[in-house]
Amino acid sequence: MSVELNHTIIHARDNRESAEFFTDLLGLEITSEWGPFIAVELSNSITLDFATIPADKITPQHYAFLISEAEFDAAYEKIRARGIEHWADPHQKLPGEINTHDGGRGVYFLDPSGHPMELITVPYGG
């Protein structure tokens, strides 16, 4: 059997707030709720399971999402319209900008729990 990532748990201060932030930004839907999890399934069948834990127990984790140019345009417009702080780089040295790389674009921002999120239209290295 080949190995595939099936799901990952994303720690959140408020699982609903984080799941709704993510689904609203990317035009997705909450796909299920069970136990402490609110799940969002991605197009490649990987599920993000948002779980509420105490804020002081959250370790920021980086999550990068490969999306289409049209999805990037729509998400970036929401980022700008909502005044979400964003950067062209992971070190947050280029505020209010996006990056271009390998024929694509990218942007970094924080989700409500402080996880550094990244949207890219082309994988690094093309």
Side-chain angles (χ1 to χ4, degrees):
M1 175 169 94
S2 62
V3 177
E4 296 180 1
L5 180 63
N6 176 264
H7 69 277
T8 191
I9 297 170
I10 298 178
H11 291 165
R13 291 183 317 225
D14 178 316
N15 60 356
R16 180 155 310 277
E17 175 190 33
S18 289
E20 289 177 354
F21 173 86
F22 185 77
T23 57
D24 182 59
L25 187 65
L26 294 177
L28 299 172
E29 293 181 10
I30 291 172
T31 51
S32 66
E33 298 182 42
W34 51 275
F37 305 110
I38 296 181
V40 176
E41 186 173 337
L42 304 179
S43 62
N44 57 353
S45 298
I46 294 171
T47 302
L48 305 178
D49 297 339
F50 293 89
T52 300
I53 69 165
D56 65 335
K57 301 292 184 198
I58 295 173
T59 300
Q61 297 289 316
H62 174 70
Y63 298 94
F65 301 93
L66 179 63
I67 61 176
S68 71
E69 289 288 338
E71 290 164 329
F72 186 92
D73 289 340
Y76 188 60
E77 178 56 34
K78 290 176 184 176
I79 288 169
R80 291 180 53 209
R82 294 173 186 162
I84 297 171
E85 195 170 9
H86 61 282
W87 303 269
D89 64 308
H91 304 292
Q92 303 176 351
K93 303 244 187 252
L94 300 168
E97 299 181 35
I98 64 171
N99 67 62
T100 56
H101 66 275
D102 302 304
R105 298 179 289 162
V107 66
Y108 295 83
F109 58 96
L110 302 178
D111 84 338
S113 295
H115 295 294
M117 301 286 192
E118 178 182 12
L119 305 177
I120 56 173
T121 61
V122 173
Y124 292 101

